[in-house]
Amino acid sequence: MSEQLKKPIWTKDFIFNFVVSFVIFLSMYLLLVTVGGYSKETFGVSDSLAGLASGLFIVGSLIGRFLTGKYINIVGTKKVLIIGGILLVITNGLYFVSASSFALLLIVRILNGIASGVASTATGTIAAFITPAQRRSEGISMYSLSMVLGTAIGPFIGLLLYQHIPMTGLFTICTILIVIAFVMSIFMKIDTPVMANTNEEKKGFRLSDFYSVHALPIAIVVVIVSIAYSSVLSFIQFFAQENHLVDAASFFFVVYAIAVLLTRPFTGKIMDQRGENIVAIPAFICLVLGLFLISIASNGVVLLIAGAFVGLGFGNLQSIFQALVVKVSPVEAMGLATSTYFIGLDFGLGFGPYVLGNFTNSIGYSGLYLAMALVALLGLVAFYFLHMIKAKKEVNYYS
């Protein structure tokens, strides 16, 4: 164990993988928070359809991950990453021809999401494989900072630039970033195990080939929590406009990122040493408080405090859950487990905005965030019944 603990996490390939993942999520979230407003202004669609334009990317990503889960250990993570990178470059270029109709924009969002799902599943699996086994929670926690930074800086840049440049400018920025990431991925040297008996594995269709049974309980919790967080991604801009908090909203995700950056170096180590519950339960509580504070925010200070709590909550739960699905799965199923985690994440983030958009007119944005605080609390209850009780029984059994 001591040798494993001495092995470094931040190797060259880990850093390259980190940067590639960061760029993928940066470009994803840069558009995720702006395409809804762009759809309303350009095509005059409703809140629900604007949420659909935002969330369809995640639905596409869900499809990409679902397909990638079965084949990533057959094809190999490096090849899957290269394939995903090529698809990302092509689909980002398609945004430039999507301005002619809303229907075309929706199609491009789905295709771009599929490409992102393929590529980011590969980076997540690579992170799990190249991290020393005894430092895996810490390593995945460090890797998932790429997601956190992308989900924080992306919305910040997106909301800031959207006020000053046309949407085609944002499309250009995203395309350039993706090309850079693709070039970096080519120079990564990754040696991950390839599943034996590949010819047999490729035959037939079984639903169980596309998700991990071991990771499924955690993925269900991820869906619940992601639905709650999707309200922040898709509707914080509209909430801020309604309450005259646009300036504060621009820094919401920056505060979110700072809160995660200050805590993430510790949560992974604590999870490796003392288990997941000691970090997961406080993170759930922070998420509930953050969403509640948004619902009552009447000034910028309260909104930014809410951003800190949401960062401490959802920002840390992301890495906790990703490390946990790997922890409960056998080594040969780590790729499938990672895919299953992301499927849960994408399902909540993808379908959440469309579903929640149907309630904004009746309960308002403040009412929506109050309801999402309760949904986050439901996530804690689900975590207790789907994981904590089972894990406690297993500990008692083996002790």
Side-chain angles (χ1 to χ4, degrees), residues 19 51 121 166 198 206 209 215 227 250 260 264 293 311 347 374 394:
V19 174
T121 298
T198 56
R206 293 177 299 177
D209 290 337
I227 289 173
S250 298
V260 180
R264 185 60 66 80
L293 286 174
F347 191 91
L374 297 176
E394 290 177 349

Side-chain angles (χ1 to χ4, degrees), residues 244-284:
H244 309 290
L245 300 173
V246 175
D247 291 337
S250 298
F251 290 92
F252 180 94
F253 293 100
V254 175
V255 175
Y256 171 103
I258 292 173
V260 180
L261 287 171
L262 292 176
T263 55
R264 185 60 66 80
F266 308 106
T267 54
K269 289 183 180 179
I270 294 172
M271 184 173 172
D272 278 328
Q273 296 169 2
R274 302 183 61 183
E276 60 275 2
N277 295 340
I278 197 170
V279 287
I281 294 175
F284 270 111

Side-chain angles (χ1 to χ4, degrees), residues 375-393:
V375 170
L377 186 60
L378 176 63
L380 175 56
V381 175
F383 182 72
Y384 175 78
F385 284 104
L386 293 176
H387 175 73
M388 291 176 65
I389 290 179
K390 180 182 177 182
K392 186 176 181 180
K393 287 180 179 178

Side-chain angles (χ1 to χ4, degrees), residues 338-357:
T338 302
S339 172
T340 304
Y341 158 77
F342 279 116
I343 286 172
L345 184 69
D346 288 349
F347 191 91
L349 294 179
F351 287 98
Y354 179 66
V355 174
L356 299 180

Side-chain angles (χ1 to χ4, degrees), residues 171-249:
F171 293 152
T172 301
I173 291 172
C174 290
T175 302
I176 293 173
L177 290 173
I178 288 300
V179 170
I180 294 172
F182 173 66
V183 172
M184 290 188 67
S185 68
I186 295 174
F187 292 97
M188 290 171 57
K189 295 180 180 180
I190 306 298
D191 182 22
T192 56
V194 177
M195 188 180 296
N197 301 320
T198 56
N199 290 331
E200 184 66 25
E201 291 292 336
K202 290 180 181 179
K203 293 180 180 179
F205 177 88
R206 293 177 299 177
L207 188 61
S208 58
D209 290 337
F210 297 90
Y211 71 91
S212 166
V213 175
H214 302 90
L216 189 58
I218 300 301
I220 293 172
V221 180
V222 171
V223 171
I224 298 172
V225 175
S226 299
I227 289 173
Y229 182 68
S230 73
S231 64
V232 177
L233 288 177
S234 297
F235 301 110
I236 193 69
Q237 181 183 8
F238 302 148
F239 172 85
Q241 291 173 349
E242 185 179 81
N243 293 275
H244 309 290
L245 300 173
V246 175
D247 291 337

